[in-house]
Amino acid sequence: MHVFTGGLATETNTFAPMPTGLASFRDRAYYPAGKHPETLSFFAAPLYAARQRGKARGWKVTEGMVASAQPSGTTTRNAYETLRDELLGDLRAALPVDMVVLGLHGAMVADGYDDCEGDLLARVRALVGSKVVVGAELDPHNHLTPAMLANADLLIAFKEYPHTDVLERAYELVDLCAAQVEGRVKPVAAAVDCEMLVTMHTSREPARGFVDRIQSLEGRDGILSISVSHGFAWGDTEHMGTQVLVYADGDAAKAQTLARRLADELIGLREQLSVHYHGIDEALDEALAFDGAPVVLADGADNPGGGAAGDSTFILRRLLERGIGNVCLGPLWDPGAARIAFEAGPGANLPLRIGGKIGPLSGDPVDALCTVKAVLPEMWMTGLAGTPVAMGDSALVETGGIEIVLISLRNQAMGTDLFTQLGCVLAAKRIIVVKSSQHFYASFSMVAKHVIYVGAPGAVTLDLNTLPYRKVRRPKWPLV
């Protein structure tokens, strides 16, 4: 069997201020054909899984380009077309193949392309023909489109949020695609639009029970795979929203019946699935009143993993104004401040202008006298599924009893080593503020006594009715 694999992925926040260009991909992950390292990287899980299965089963595996960018604003036409055409060129050079498995996101939007994944899969299908099996792994925060469904034999999304099952879903994708090539299964898809937007935190009920239940249905009674597309609320596209996708073995009616039933269950759970959040002062009051520490405050509105800049100062400013100390906050993306702290070195006391650089949703810069506690060149953080995440030259500075992690490569909080490798002792803190919506939870829940989701201003605001949607197909609960 000859397998081709590669990937092209980013999550596009169409309301975010910064475009996603070629440099954004090169900053995070860009590997030309055949150059991906032996270790797993986040959007190359299908490549990694195909590589391992290929070694065990004697497949020929051709590895094409892999590129992924930190979520941000609309991808430039040049970036998308350049990377798309490179990946397609790698595939063309590998032909003939029996199977194509790709690492995609599902919510990539470029100038002139509202459905990048649908466009890419259509071009893949045109190259390989109708008989070659084409599959892709997706992030659940995708826009599941007719073009994606029409041009792929199998689409499998991560089930967990935080996304801790990236590799497991990649093996599932590769194994089911191989079974189709060998004629052992015939996947038939059914997708049902729930006409709503939900974010399913699988760290809590009822999402935990729902995901456990759909996994128990897979591999039984002809059901091959079930995915829930949460949707990505900050991407203004026609097909944005929550959908249920079921693949049955050769039985379209069975797939449709189950997808409809599961979609109806989700609709009934939507109020319970919604993320409940507090304003900044209310969240701080709750944290201070809580009997136990540390308390984690999630600043999801400034989550770089959703396209925000990661440099907002709204929570930092209120902490300072209220004189709340014994706090750590991070990561705050400010390459300039990080560079100055590096130049000064540990132990230095100096004035710094922190954050608030990108635009109104970043707030105003905070001017403060800071002590440099630690610096670390080219720092890496432990990401989801153990994948490494580059943070660039980073520094820990302290002002007013608040320790702040400054980074020079934009990323969200995922591993607790974001703080600990700089000498910040999390267990001793009263409050930990993380720039993340939910991916922090897998690691930080191990030290937190309580977690509060904060509704601060930002490009990934939780108040969806404040966003100026133009393209979303309605009705779409909870949009007015």
Side-chain angles (χ1 to χ4, degrees):
M1 185 186 300
H2 186 189
V3 180
F4 177 84
T5 183
L8 176 57
T10 190
E11 181 180 67
T12 300
N13 184 326
T14 58
F15 305 106
M18 299 182 295
T20 305
L22 283 170
S24 299
F25 288 89
R26 297 184 185 278
D27 280 347
R28 188 182 194 189
Y30 169 73
Y31 303 104
K35 299 298 184 181
H36 193 279
E38 288 297 314
T39 52
L40 174 68
S41 65
F42 195 74
F43 282 109
L47 179 149
Y48 185 89
R51 182 189 284 171
Q52 303 310 313
R53 290 289 194 254
K55 290 176 183 177
R57 300 177 186 178
W59 298 346
K60 177 183 178 181
V61 177
T62 299
E63 299 181 2
M65 180 209 76
V66 173
S68 69
Q70 185 65 248
S72 196
T74 301
T75 305
T76 65
R77 182 186 292 263
N78 178 59
Y80 172 60
E81 291 181 345
T82 297
L83 296 170
R84 176 200 68 190
D85 292 349
E86 181 177 347
L87 182 58
L88 292 172
D90 295 340
L91 173 57
R92 189 179 294 108
L95 296 176
V97 298
D98 302 293
M99 185 168 101
V100 176
V101 286
L102 301 174
L104 306 178
H105 185 285
M108 183 178 184
V109 177
D111 180 20
Y113 300 89
D114 276 5
D115 179 14
C116 291
E117 288 83 1
D119 174 71
L120 175 59
L121 288 167
R123 292 170 189 270
V124 168
R125 180 60 72 194
L127 275 177
V128 303
S130 60
K131 295 183 180 179
V132 171
V133 174
V134 176
E137 183 178 36
L138 303 174
D139 189 294
H141 303 124
N142 63 66
H143 311 307
L144 190 61
T145 69
M148 292 163 65
L149 289 165
N151 290 291
D153 295 279
L154 279 160
L155 298 171
I156 293 177
F158 320 145
K159 288 183 171 64
E160 301 293 339
Y161 184 37
H163 304 329
T164 55
D165 62 333
V166 175
L167 186 55
E168 290 86 345
R169 299 289 76 75
Y171 278 122
E172 179 184 333
L173 172 72
V174 169
D175 290 345
L176 281 173
C177 285
Q180 184 178 357
V181 172
E182 294 162 358
R184 294 185 283 115
V185 297
K186 185 181 178 181
V188 179
V192 173
D193 187 348
C194 299
E195 296 186 343
M196 67 179 187
L197 280 164
V198 296
T199 300
M200 296 174 59
H201 288 180
T202 55
S203 55
R204 61 181 175 90
E205 296 294 348
R208 178 71 269 150
F210 186 86
V211 168
D212 290 343
R213 192 160 64 255
I214 64 174
Q215 286 192 284
S216 73
L217 297 173
E218 294 175 317
R220 297 171 47 198
D221 301 323
I223 300 302
L224 300 175
S225 173
I226 305 170
S227 293
V228 178
S229 294
H230 304 187
F232 183 62
W234 301 273
D236 185 15
T237 69
E238 179 184 1
H239 298 286
M240 184 270 283
T242 304
Q243 298 188 55
V244 175
L245 173 61
V246 174
Y247 287 95
D249 190 1
D251 191 334
K254 179 175 288 187
Q256 180 64 35
T257 298
L258 181 57
R260 181 71 263 174
R261 176 167 68 81
L262 292 173
D264 288 341
E265 285 185 32
L266 271 184
I267 293 167
L269 295 171
R270 65 190 188 185
E271 295 281 358
Q272 299 173 62
L273 290 167
S274 297
V275 180
H276 299 287
Y277 57 92
H278 305 283
I280 295 174
D281 281 301
E282 184 183 0
L284 292 173
D285 290 343
E286 182 178 333
L288 293 172
F290 184 77
D291 184 15
V295 175
V296 168
L297 271 58
D299 185 8
D302 194 37
N303 173 21
D311 75 333
S312 83
T313 58
F314 298 106
I315 296 178
L316 174 60
R317 184 173 298 280
R318 287 302 293 148
L319 285 164
L320 291 168
E321 288 171 348
R322 293 181 56 171
I324 300 172
N326 196 17
V327 175
C328 60
L329 181 150
L332 195 146
W333 178 54
D334 193 329
R339 172 65 183 270
I340 293 169
F342 249 79
E343 290 291 307
N349 295 293
L350 72 166
L352 281 178
R353 171 161 284 190
I354 297 173
K357 304 293 198 301
I358 299 303
L361 293 178
S362 296
D364 295 325
V366 168
D367 294 310
L369 181 64
C370 296
T371 300
V372 181
K373 306 293 288 288
V375 297
L376 189 59
E378 298 182 6
M379 186 173 82
W380 291 79
M381 172 183 64
T382 303
L384 299 174
T387 55
V389 179
M391 310 299 280
D393 291 346
S394 303
L396 182 70
V397 302
E398 185 271 332
T399 184
I402 303 166
E403 293 187 338
I404 305 162
V405 175
L406 301 173
I407 59 171
S408 51
L409 286 179
R410 190 170 60 92
N411 270 300
Q412 66 175 301
M414 286 186 272
T416 53
D417 55 348
L418 161 71
F419 292 99
T420 58
Q421 63 187 305
L422 288 164
C424 179
V425 182
L426 294 177
K429 297 300 179 187
R430 182 72 177 272
I431 296 172
I432 302 169
V433 181
V434 291
K435 302 278 187 177
S436 177
S437 296
Q438 177 68 357
H439 285 330
F440 73 91
Y441 196 93
S443 181
F444 284 83
S445 64
M446 305 298 289
V447 298
K449 297 298 189 292
H450 184 46
V451 174
I452 302 169
Y453 296 91
V454 186
V460 195
T461 176
L462 293 170
D463 188 353
L464 301 182
N465 280 295
T466 65
L467 296 174
Y469 294 107
R470 295 183 299 108
K471 300 178 181 180
V472 171
R473 189 169 55 197
R474 299 173 190 255
K476 192 77 64 180
W477 182 94
L479 302 184
V480 175

